Amino acid sequence: MQRKLERSRAHFRQAAKRLPLGVASNFRYWGDDDTFYIERAEGGRLWDIDGNAYIDYRLGYGPTILGYCDPRVDAAAMEGMRQGSVFALSTERELAVAERICKMVPAAEMVRFSCSGTEAVMAALRVARAFSGKDGYVVAEGGYHGVFDAALWTTDMEGWSGQGDPELVAYSEGVPGILRSLVWQVPLNDADRLEDLFKRKADKIGALLIEPIQGNCCAISADPAYMKAVRELCTRYGVVLIVDEVKTGFRVARGGAQEIYGIQADLCTYAKAMGNGYPISALAGRRDIMSIIGQTVVHGGTFTAHAVSLAAAEKTLEILDETDALATIAGYGERLREGLAGVLEARGIPHCFVGHPALSGLFFSETPPAGYRDWKTSDHVFYDTLAPLLVDRGVLIEPDSREPWFMCEAHAKGGCLEETLKAFAAAVDATLEQLGDRGQSAAE
Ligand code: PLP
């Protein structure tokens, strides 16, 4: 079974002449024959230009927390549109949204807005470096923090032999090699390794960038004890703790991952769910650190706090804060996990779920991974085979096993569960058939 993609394929051939890879972001290219184009979306569903319908668990990599075309958010965005666009001056609404963020996130004492997750993290790193007076920074294996040069360093897990540490390599050509000397990588969930690094490089390292739930790596999660140790070590060694909540923020809890872990960052970054798909992000954090913005540190941008996005964020955050939307989303995620587990158990396929029900990693091994290295030994070939078969059956997940599944409020209202489970059972059976003996051994 392969869904019809003629129109998308024809469009791709035209688009590739004007747009590198035929798309606007490398991650939207699925191959010359499999890149497809979207006609429209509503609730938890998407339709492509060939008329194929999908229940969407990618949700644009996370922003759509309530559902596509949410009428409450879109009405607010229209209000922002009527106000204008950007004025190179501020509006009263900026304070209203900042107040909401500070109410929801205890670590947030002051806020600055940007347009994307990348911009927020970029600003966080600059502020942290200025505050600490040290340019070096630490990232965790499997972490992802956006598409700017300082963040485009990635763990080469595919190339890892299983001995020693995996290498940290540039994600892209064009990233100056000279930047490598400023970044250190540590395995997640190993506080001793972190302490050892801080002890050796205390005079060089000014910031630690971390996602407690790795939104781009199967939702692999830090242990609560590890996050507490991270907090304590950063304080002890004068390192600014930046918790990157671009994916977890306003999704896994009102106060994001920090609420779940019971810790407070020095700086934290938000984007995705904050505006239900309208482009807006925020850098928030300690008053003494944030206050250096405008004194010695520059932050700004023509489109920051754009009236449309800001109005959308005001409404989205109001809904997430004042209704039970996040409980509905997590509840749907729980029921989905139970249903998927039922399908897999019936076929004897070892699996576990990682992360949070609203941002859920599906892992084909019996024990949850403690870090990215465990991904290497999980049966991701099974996942990689399953994913396109599921997409063909109208359930949209990322083809790469490292991208978690995202839930939105509209999934729970749209009767998506039964359809997903039916498609999942059929796709698992097709995977077992396709993998033959290999699939059988996965099921043993
Ligand atoms: N940080 C994290 C944790 C992310 O997941 C992402 C994007 O997926 C980013 C930063 C970059 O955000 P954006 O794609 O909006 O620039």
Side-chain angles (χ1 to χ4, degrees):
M1 169 178 182
Q2 238 245 326
R3 69 198 191 286
K4 208 166 78 40
L5 286 177
E6 274 73 15
R7 194 162 162 195
S8 273
R9 285 179 186 149
H11 185 75
F12 171 78
R13 287 193 291 276
Q14 293 307 315
K17 293 178 191 161
R18 289 281 181 226
L19 302 159
L21 293 178
V23 292
S25 160
N26 284 15
F27 311 108
R28 297 177 195 171
Y29 170 74
W30 289 30
D32 286 10
D33 286 335
D34 293 317
T35 298
F36 59 103
Y37 296 86
I38 296 307
E39 177 81 42
R40 68 185 181 92
E42 197 181 330
R45 295 173 192 264
L46 283 179
W47 288 265
D48 70 21
I49 59 173
D50 282 286
N52 299 302
Y54 307 87
I55 300 169
D56 184 12
Y57 293 104
R58 292 167 77 250
L59 299 176
Y61 293 140
T64 316
I65 187 79
L66 299 170
Y68 291 108
C69 299
D70 183 277
R72 302 160 293 181
V73 178
D74 287 355
M78 285 298 290
E79 226 179 90
M81 205 175 287
R82 278 190 286 272
Q83 188 183 16
S85 52
V86 284
F87 320 104
L89 288 168
S90 285
T91 63
E92 289 177 312
R93 191 169 275 132
E94 289 168 29
L95 175 60
V97 180
E99 291 286 9
R100 176 74 70 179
I101 293 171
C102 294
K103 174 173 177 274
M104 295 171 83
V105 178
E109 293 176 342
M110 296 188 91
V111 177
R112 266 291 171 100
F113 298 105
S114 290
C115 299
S116 67
T118 294
E119 283 176 272
V121 180
M122 205 157 57
L125 193 55
R126 184 182 312 122
V127 170
R129 284 167 153 169
F131 184 80
S132 65
K134 299 180 278 186
D135 287 344
Y137 57 101
V138 181
V139 294
E141 287 175 13
Y144 176 78
H145 303 286
V147 283
F148 64 109
D149 287 352
L152 284 174
W153 295 93
T154 189
T155 313
D156 181 19
M157 199 49 77
E158 273 94 351
W160 185 50
S161 68
Q163 304 297 316
D165 291 333
E167 233 189 303
L168 188 69
V169 294
Y171 202 146
S172 166
E173 286 191 14
V175 174
I178 197 167
L179 297 180
R180 176 67 185 86
S181 62
L182 296 175
V183 51
W184 283 270
Q185 167 181 245
V186 289
L188 192 74
N189 285 324
D190 188 338
D192 292 342
R193 285 286 302 270
L194 184 64
E195 179 160 20
D196 178 56
L197 176 65
F198 280 178
K199 266 187 197 153
R200 289 185 289 111
K201 304 286 176 191
D203 59 328
K204 294 201 162 48
I205 294 173
L208 170 77
L209 250 174
I210 192 164
E211 302 165 86
I213 300 173
Q214 294 190 315
N216 304 273
C217 195
C218 319
I220 291 172
S221 299
D223 296 330
Y226 176 74
M227 277 317 297
K228 292 221 158 55
V230 167
R231 174 62 281 179
E232 195 271 313
L233 290 169
C234 284
T235 305
R236 189 160 8 124
Y237 288 91
V239 174
V240 175
L241 172 57
I242 306 170
V243 176
D244 184 351
E245 299 244 30
V246 163
K247 274 195 172 163
T248 50
F250 311 118
R251 169 170 283 283
V252 298
R254 288 185 174 93
Q258 293 173 76
E259 180 178 319
I260 290 178
Y261 282 89
I263 55 143
Q264 283 194 26
D266 298 317
L267 294 174
C268 39
T269 48
Y270 295 88
K272 315 259 185 192
M274 174 177 174
N276 198 45
Y278 289 90
I280 185 161
S281 63
L283 164 64
R286 267 169 46 187
R287 183 174 302 281
D288 59 334
I289 303 180
M290 291 292 291
S291 298
I292 66 172
I293 297 174
Q295 292 175 20
T296 55
V297 174
V298 69
H299 170 270
T302 304
F303 293 110
T304 57
H306 189 286
V308 174
S309 296
L310 195 66
E314 184 181 37
K315 181 51 79 177
T316 304
L317 293 176
E318 179 196 307
I319 294 167
L320 297 175
D321 192 24
E322 295 183 13
T323 74
D324 59 1
L326 286 180
T328 303
I329 294 163
Y332 180 82
E334 291 281 10
R335 282 185 287 130
L336 181 65
R337 282 178 167 190
E338 280 163 24
L340 301 179
V343 170
L344 294 168
E345 274 157 24
R347 290 154 180 82
I349 299 170
H351 65 278
C352 58
F353 295 100
V354 197
H356 185 275
L359 170 65
S360 190
L362 169 57
F363 217 69
F364 288 105
S365 77
E366 254 147 30
T367 43
Y372 190 15
R373 298 177 192 205
D374 292 341
W375 170 80
K376 184 108 180 166
T377 51
S378 78
D379 194 357
H380 55 88
V381 173
F382 193 88
Y383 193 105
D384 296 341
T385 311
L386 171 72
L389 296 168
L390 193 53
V391 174
D392 269 342
R393 286 161 179 78
V395 173
L396 191 59
I397 59 169
E398 187 75 6
D400 186 325
S401 61
R402 284 163 285 196
E403 184 69 15
W405 297 34
F406 293 90
M407 315 299 145
C408 68
E409 191 186 31
H411 282 142
K413 292 176 183 161
C416 296
L417 188 64
E418 300 70 23
E419 276 178 61
T420 302
L421 295 181
K422 197 165 158 230
F424 186 71
V428 169
D429 288 337
T431 305
L432 289 169
E433 202 179 306
Q434 196 163 311
L435 289 176
D437 289 347
R438 217 206 135 284
Q440 226 32 59
S441 65
E444 274 158 14

